[in-house]
Amino acid sequence: MQFGETLRALVPAAGLSARMGDFKPLLPLRGRTLIENSIDSLLQGGAKTVTVVTGFRAAEVEAALEQYGSLVHCVRNPDYARTDMLCSIRIGVRALPPCGAFYLLPGDMPVVSQPTFERLCKARNTKRASVIFPTLEGYRKHPPLIDARLIPEIASFHGRGGLRELWKKYENEILTVPVDDRGVRVDLDTADDYLRCRKMYDPHAADR
């Protein structure tokens, strides 16, 4: 990275997995769990550490992540059953170690490719935008790379519409980077989403 800065990552993973009908973070994929796939992609993509916000079945997720040692830090959203992802993000950014910028990647997006992270880093080296989004077919996707200057505002933001509302304020400071990565649109909300993902990315896995 230019600017002599450290990259971190934030993974909100506190939800109930209600639409999935099973507990998303610990579902298997490619010989790992979904949450491990997400974390591995972030570490391989340049994040020095990953902060994971847990909630529902927090102890199980945290136990599964102990293997990462100091590379992964967990912080809990105690009100996970009544709050949305924005609440977890606010908790998470407050817990981030000092950094120049951080990736924001929901824990149910396990197959973002390493070249996508590399393209975001390269773009940041060229222009220090407040937020850099990968885009696929013209649409903004996760994970955005967010400048640490925005952390205080994110930590206190309570507007409707989540961070999409906040991004409107910074529209002139947002950079988009086209990527050829179908993984940026693989967001596993339902059992059908999960089965499609396994078929595409884990074809040799046994049927559930």
Side-chain angles (χ1 to χ4, degrees):
M1 286 290 293
Q2 209 170 351
F3 314 118
E5 296 174 340
T6 300
L7 280 183
R8 309 285 183 185
L10 173 58
V11 176
L16 295 168
S17 303
R19 293 175 60 193
M20 178 65 71
D22 205 339
F23 187 49
K24 285 194 285 187
L26 300 185
L27 287 172
L29 179 71
R30 300 186 296 198
R32 308 277 277 166
T33 62
L34 291 190
I35 190 74
E36 288 172 289
N37 274 269
S38 298
I39 289 170
D40 291 345
S41 69
L42 288 161
L43 293 173
Q44 293 165 8
K48 296 300 182 184
T49 61
V50 180
T51 297
V52 180
V53 184
T54 61
F56 183 54
R57 295 172 61 174
E60 294 173 62
V61 177
E62 291 162 8
L65 301 182
E66 286 180 355
Q67 61 183 295
Y68 290 98
S70 60
L71 294 176
V72 173
H73 168 64
C74 294
V75 58
R76 292 190 181 185
N77 175 356
D79 203 20
Y80 64 86
R82 295 184 295 174
T83 56
D84 59 12
M85 188 183 294
L86 178 58
C87 179
S88 291
I89 292 171
R90 289 199 302 266
I91 292 170
V93 295
R94 295 184 191 118
L96 281 173
C99 61
F102 66 96
Y103 297 115
L104 174 60
L105 183 68
D108 58 0
M109 294 190 67
V111 290
V112 177
S113 71
Q114 187 170 354
T116 291
F117 295 102
E118 293 171 353
R119 295 206 67 184
L120 294 172
C121 288
K122 184 177 180 180
R124 181 169 166 81
N125 286 342
T126 303
K127 181 179 180 182
R128 194 175 184 180
S130 291
V131 189
I132 305 173
F133 281 97
T135 61
L136 185 67
E137 298 172 354
Y139 292 95
R140 293 177 183 174
K141 300 294 183 179
H142 280 86
L145 180 56
I146 303 169
D147 194 282
R149 294 172 294 173
L150 272 62
I151 287 177
E153 192 163 1
I154 293 171
S156 61
F157 184 70
H158 288 80
R160 292 184 178 180
L163 290 183
R164 289 182 181 178
E165 284 300 309
L166 180 59
W167 300 151
K168 291 178 182 179
K169 177 179 177 180
Y170 290 94
E171 194 62 41
N172 292 334
E173 301 175 36
I174 289 176
L175 184 65
T176 58
V177 179
V179 298
D180 183 17
D181 177 11
R182 58 191 180 184
V184 300
R185 63 182 172 197
V186 176
D187 184 356
L188 306 183
D189 288 326
T190 68
D192 285 343
D193 294 338
Y194 171 62
L195 292 174
R196 281 193 295 269
C197 179
R198 289 196 77 182
K199 183 176 181 180
M200 185 173 297
Y201 292 94
D202 199 0
H204 301 298
D207 292 336
R208 293 181 67 204

